[in-house]
Every structure is written in C-alpha cells, then in structure tokens.
Amino acid sequence: MGIEQKVAVITGASQGIGADLVKAYRDRNYRVVATSRSIKPSDDDAIVAVPGDIADRKTAERAIAEGVTRFGRIDTLVNNAGIFIPKPFTQYTEADYEAYLGTNIAGFFHITQLAIAEMEKRGNGHIVQVTTSLVDNPIAGVPSVLASLTKGGLNAATKSLAIEYAKRGIRVNAIALGTIKTPMHPVETHAQLDALHPIGRMGEISDVVDAILYLESANFVTGEILHVDGGQSAGH
Ligand SMILES: NC(=O)c1ccc[n+]([C@@H]2O[C@H](COP(=O)([O-])OP(=O)(O)OC[C@H]3O[C@@H](n4cnc5c(N)ncnc54)[C@H](OP(=O)(O)O)[C@@H]3O)[C@@H](O)[C@H]2O)c1
C-alpha cells in the first residue's frame, strides 16, 4: 500500500472496455484515475473519477494532477477513450472530423505528454493506445477513413514514442482491435459483425483486458502494435 502502490490512468472509463480496465487494474492492486465525460465518483477510495472531455487539455491536467496529489505517482496510462463513426468518405461532416481529431488525437496528445513528464521523474512507465485493425486491414462495407486516419496516427505515434523513450524506462504499446462487444455496437448487429472475423466471432471485453494486462507485464515489449482481432490482420 501507500506510495509503493502503482497508479494507472484509464481514459474512456465510464463504460465498455475502459470500465472493465478500471476493475482489472484494481484487481492487480493499482490505484486508478478514471476519466471520461460522464464518469461518476466511486465508493472505492483507490479510484479517483475525473469528469471531462479528453480533447480538452484541462481534463488531462486534472487527471494527471489527481493521480500525483492523491496517489503520488503515475505508472500506466491507457489511452482508451475513442469514437468510431463509420461513414462513406464524402458523407463525413466537419463536425465528425473535429470530433475524431479531438477525441482520438488531442485526447491522446495532451494526457500522454503530461503522463510521460511524470513517468520520466521515476524513470519508469507504460502507455497503451487502443486502436483498430481497420488501420491496416480496411474492410469493404465498413467505410471508416477517419478511424484509420486517427487510429493510424496513434499506431505511428506508438512506435515513435517507444523509440524516443526506450532508454528512459518508458514502454509504449498499442492494441489494434477487431470488433468488440461493447455498448458501441447494438446487439442486433452482432451476428453480422461476428462474420467479419476469421475466428467467426466478435471479441469480448475480456479478450482486450487480457491483452493489455499482458503488455503491462511484458517488460521486453515496446513499440508493439498487438492485434487482438480474431485473425483479421492475418487475412480473410
Ligand atoms: N468496440 C469496438 O469494436 C472497438 C474496435 C476498435 C477500437 N475500439 C476502441 O476501443 C476504445 C474503447 O471503445 P469501447 O468499445 O469501449 O467504446 P464505448 O463503449 O463507446 O466507450 C467509449 C468510452 O470513451 C469515452 N469517451 C468518448 N468520447 C470522449 C471524450 N470526448 N472525452 C472523454 N471520454 C470520451 C466514453 O465516456 P463518456 O461518454 O462518459 O465520455 C466511454 O467511456 C475506443 O478507443 C475505441 O475506438 C473499439
């Protein structure tokens, strides 16, 4: 307990993958900063909830400051907040474009910069981006250029940051997901989405959590884009 207990910051923590990551890191005895626009306070005093839009640098500043002042350190950041709006390219609106860049790119940039500044003080840290297998394996019938543009940027930034910080004790990885059963996908779409995966099913949130916990403990792995996609990246 106390100052030796590790601290994870999870973005997009109110539901879906992020909410289960909060539980998984608590199960590993981390203290957790959980942030999203609608996040509610927790009864668990080892979880601090920081409401706010992750595109806004002030949300990132509050999340990292809460981690440092309440828990004393930042060990892990999972950049999980993200949006997915599939549309034919010419139908994307300016508002879609701003939302994608705000949540997926600014939402990564601000909090990652602030988290790394804290990790550098201790010479230790781990950052994970949550991206999509669509970046390198676009699917006919799932047009989603702005997902590829933004999540592809995160994949590239993952490798770049991994090399920049490799000798300073900070590992940087990403998981590129197939379609996962979260509130993002209504149940009536699941059968159709199952068929998009060579394994024949959508992913479960536990498949994603297991992959992130693997990366957490994989001390010789950095700059990895780990595909958790039921075989989509292998072919079809
Ligand atoms: N599910 C999939 O099939 C799939 C596939 C590939 C990649 N991913 C990625 O996996 C991550 C998690 O997805 P999910 O399926 O768990 O999605 P989800 O159920 O829709 O949850 C998204 C989370 O992000 C938060 N969020 C969204 N916009 C935000 C903003 N502007 N500021 C702060 N928080 C924001 C939401 O909370 P609030 O509404 O409270 O802000 C929510 O907690 C995302 O990055 C997504 O792109 C998912």
Side-chain angles (χ1 to χ4, degrees):
M1 295 292 284
I3 202 76
E4 293 308 318
Q5 202 176 355
K6 287 188 169 181
V7 177
V9 178
I10 315 286
T11 74
S14 61
Q15 64 171 42
I17 294 165
D20 277 26
L21 283 172
V22 172
K23 290 185 206 138
Y25 274 91
R26 280 298 295 128
D27 287 347
R28 291 206 159 191
N29 199 34
Y30 281 65
R31 290 184 285 188
V32 174
V33 179
T35 182
S36 86
R37 292 164 302 185
S38 69
I39 195 90
K40 299 285 180 295
S42 171
D43 294 337
D44 179 347
D45 62 10
I47 299 174
V48 60
V50 177
D53 188 332
I54 199 64
D56 182 350
R57 190 170 181 93
K58 291 191 172 57
T59 303
E61 286 170 350
R62 282 190 289 117
I64 299 303
E66 286 282 2
V68 173
T69 55
R70 299 269 289 265
F71 302 145
R73 54 197 276 176
I74 305 290
D75 294 277
T76 294
L77 166 65
V78 184
N79 282 309
N80 168 73
I83 56 168
F84 180 63
I85 313 167
K87 269 188 189 177
F89 182 59
T90 56
Q91 291 179 20
Y92 276 119
T93 64
E94 268 190 69
D96 293 333
Y97 177 74
E98 297 298 336
Y100 257 113
L101 262 65
T103 308
N104 292 6
I105 299 292
F108 155 81
F109 174 74
H110 298 305
I111 198 162
T112 303
Q113 210 178 33
L114 296 164
I116 285 183
E118 287 304 320
M119 291 171 179
E120 274 193 292
K121 292 176 188 167
R122 303 174 46 81
N124 195 29
H126 184 219
I127 297 171
V128 182
Q129 277 62 253
V130 181
T131 76
T132 169
S133 194
L134 287 167
V135 169
D136 13 50
N137 307 282
I139 298 174
V142 190
S144 46
V145 168
L146 291 181
S148 292
L149 180 68
T150 55
K151 299 289 193 176
L154 296 187
N155 281 1
T158 295
K159 291 192 173 202
S160 185
L161 270 181
I163 295 306
E164 184 173 344
Y165 286 94
K167 291 198 169 53
R168 284 182 270 176
I170 300 171
R171 293 183 301 115
V172 187
N173 291 300
I175 50 165
L177 304 180
T179 313
I180 311 298
K181 279 185 197 164
T182 73
M184 192 178 267
H185 304 291
V187 175
E188 57 273 21
T189 64
H190 285 187
Q192 192 187 352
L193 293 171
D194 283 341
L196 295 178
H197 303 82
I199 277 181
R201 66 166 178 89
M202 295 173 73
E204 302 290 339
I205 291 178
S206 60
D207 294 320
V208 180
V209 171
D210 288 350
I212 291 178
L213 292 179
Y214 159 71
L215 290 171
E216 187 64 57
S217 61
N219 289 323
F220 201 50
V221 177
T222 193
E224 175 67 10
I225 314 292
L226 178 61
H227 288 80
V228 183
D229 65 0
Q232 286 178 331
S233 62
H236 55 84

